[in-house]
Every structure is written in C-alpha cells, then in structure tokens.
Amino acid sequence: MAVISQKTVFRDVEHILGSGSGTLDFAVKGEDDYYTWNGVEDADWNVEDIARVENVEEDRFIMYPVGETFICEIDAEEDEFNHGPVRCYCE
C-alpha cells in the first residue's frame, strides 16, 4: 500500500475502505494496491454519492459509488495524523 502524504486527487476510485480510527484506503481503477490516507479519528472527510456500504470487519467498512467511480480530493501533510479535508463524489 502506498501512503498518501501530500495533496492528491484521484479521478477513478472504484471503492473506499474506511475505518472508525480515521484511515481511508482508496482502490484506484487499474492499480493493484490501495492508496492509504491515515487520518485522525475526528478528521474532516466526506464521501457523497454512495450506492451502498458493506461491513468488512468490526470497525472497517467499504463504500461503493453511485456512478462508475469516485473522484477524491485528498489533503495530507504527512504519512499519518492528517486532519483533511478529504472529499469524494461522483460526476
């Protein structure tokens, strides 16, 4: 997994794996591994246009887009303890 540590925009996110501790993993179309954003528990992130949410584990969940993919605008300044914002939506 690649860790997001700077401002990043993904245009083809197939799904997002999230956790209650503030971690978001982005599955980008055509990529083999997730891109991980390590936020804090009360970080500012918002995902719109969600078709469905599935539980994966105790505190992990996966979000699927209404459209084919999400566009995600991610603000990060370091490998962990990021506060956001993270905004994901469909066009």
Side-chain angles (χ1 to χ4, degrees), residues 6-74:
Q6 62 185 358
K7 191 171 209 154
T8 304
V9 176
F10 293 124
R11 301 213 173 271
D12 291 318
V13 177
E14 295 180 315
H15 65 268
I16 302 165
L17 186 61
S19 78
S21 64
T23 299
L24 298 173
D25 296 314
F26 301 90
V28 178
K29 189 175 188 175
E31 301 284 335
D32 292 331
D33 292 324
Y34 284 98
Y35 289 89
T36 300
W37 179 81
N38 292 306
V40 294
E41 191 169 320
D42 61 348
D44 177 15
W45 61 268
N46 182 41
V47 179
E48 300 174 7
D49 305 318
I50 299 171
R52 71 182 193 281
V53 177
E54 296 177 5
N55 287 328
V56 178
E57 295 174 1
E58 184 175 317
D59 76 333
R60 300 283 282 170
F61 52 92
I62 190 166
M63 297 172 277
Y64 293 97
V66 169
E68 198 171 307
T69 60
F70 289 114
I71 296 170
C72 293
E73 300 167 350
I74 305 159

